[in-house]
Amino acid sequence: MKAYVFDDIPGDQRLPHDSGNPISHKSLSDLGVIYKQIPIDDEKEWEKEIDVFAKERGYKNRDQITVTKEGLGAAYEEKIKSFFDEHLHEDEEIRYILGGSGYFDVRGGKEPKDEQWIRISLEKGDLIVLPAGIYHRFTVDSNNTITAMRLFQDEPKWTPYSRSAPDTDTRSAREEYLNTIKA
């Protein structure tokens, strides 16, 4: 995992957009983002670690998603653009990368000065938890392929609330999130 300030230079969202300003694990933790490296091995020890992690957080369900040009066909470009729309969820978003690579971008905080994007580069063996209420977006990188395990507390659901909607900033998940990151 590598995290850094997104450079905001227009261009393909799948490019690194690395500003050269690194972001520490502690800074991500201060935003409520949890990162863990669980190497994928032939003995499948990683499955046991995922099971323990899921149990600790009360996650009972999981599925797997693969995003590739071949798999999504003509809908590929539209789909990755929809993932890149700034949004939040009312539940944590947990992703464990099984193969390929991509980026999660998160907003730096609640103040206008913190509105910069932080890009988190993930690859095989990386696990990330984004807290409910954090503004974020996702894209594959220029390899155009990623496979991720998604974990859920109850039935699998993935409801994004776009930041462009008029009521998203007042959703309870957003308010609770902002209260947890107050200094």
Side-chain angles (χ1 to χ4, degrees):
M1 187 277 298
K2 177 181 176 184
Y4 50 87
V5 174
F6 184 85
D7 68 12
D8 270 332
I9 295 172
D12 190 334
Q13 69 194 39
R14 294 168 280 203
L15 296 176
H17 289 277
D18 189 342
S19 66
N21 296 316
I23 298 293
S24 69
H25 285 223
K26 180 177 180 335
S27 293
L28 289 176
S29 179
D30 290 347
L31 294 174
V33 175
I34 297 169
Y35 169 76
K36 188 171 182 154
Q37 187 9 270
I38 303 174
I40 295 179
D41 56 8
D42 293 335
E43 293 80 37
K44 302 216 178 221
E45 290 296 315
W46 64 270
E47 289 179 342
K48 294 174 191 166
E49 284 195 58
I50 291 293
D51 289 343
V52 168
F53 189 82
K55 186 174 182 179
E56 287 171 355
R57 300 192 74 79
Y59 282 76
K60 302 174 200 125
N61 294 303
R62 62 187 76 172
D63 70 7
Q64 187 173 306
I65 183 171
T66 298
V67 179
T68 64
K69 282 184 176 184
E70 298 76 24
L72 294 173
Y76 177 77
E77 292 296 332
E78 184 178 321
K79 195 62 155 168
I80 64 165
K81 283 184 180 155
S82 74
F83 293 153
F84 205 61
D85 179 53
E86 182 176 8
H87 63 279
L88 61 80
H89 301 284
E90 292 185 333
D91 297 309
E92 289 182 334
E93 182 165 340
I94 299 180
R95 299 293 182 266
Y96 178 57
I97 309 305
L98 298 168
S101 48
Y103 303 111
F104 272 96
D105 297 339
V106 297
R107 288 287 187 186
K110 67 181 239 171
E111 301 296 328
K113 67 178 175 56
D114 297 328
E115 281 289 296
Q116 67 189 7
W117 282 110
I118 296 171
R119 175 151 278 192
I120 306 166
S121 175
L122 299 172
E123 56 190 30
K124 183 177 177 178
D126 288 336
L127 180 139
I128 192 168
V129 180
L130 302 180
I134 192 170
Y135 280 120
H136 66 282
R137 60 190 184 189
F138 169 78
T139 188
V140 293
D141 62 16
S142 59
N143 293 316
N144 289 308
T145 183
I146 193 164
T147 300
M149 178 185 294
R150 304 184 296 183
L151 292 95
F152 305 93
Q153 288 179 339
D154 295 307
E155 288 303 310
K157 68 177 182 178
W158 186 80
T159 306
Y161 296 96
S162 178
R163 189 165 192 183
S164 62
D167 65 337
T168 303
D169 272 343
T170 60
R171 296 195 78 77
S172 62
R174 180 68 180 162
E175 292 175 11
E176 289 169 23
Y177 170 71
L178 292 175
N179 285 333
T180 63
I181 64 167
K182 282 186 179 177

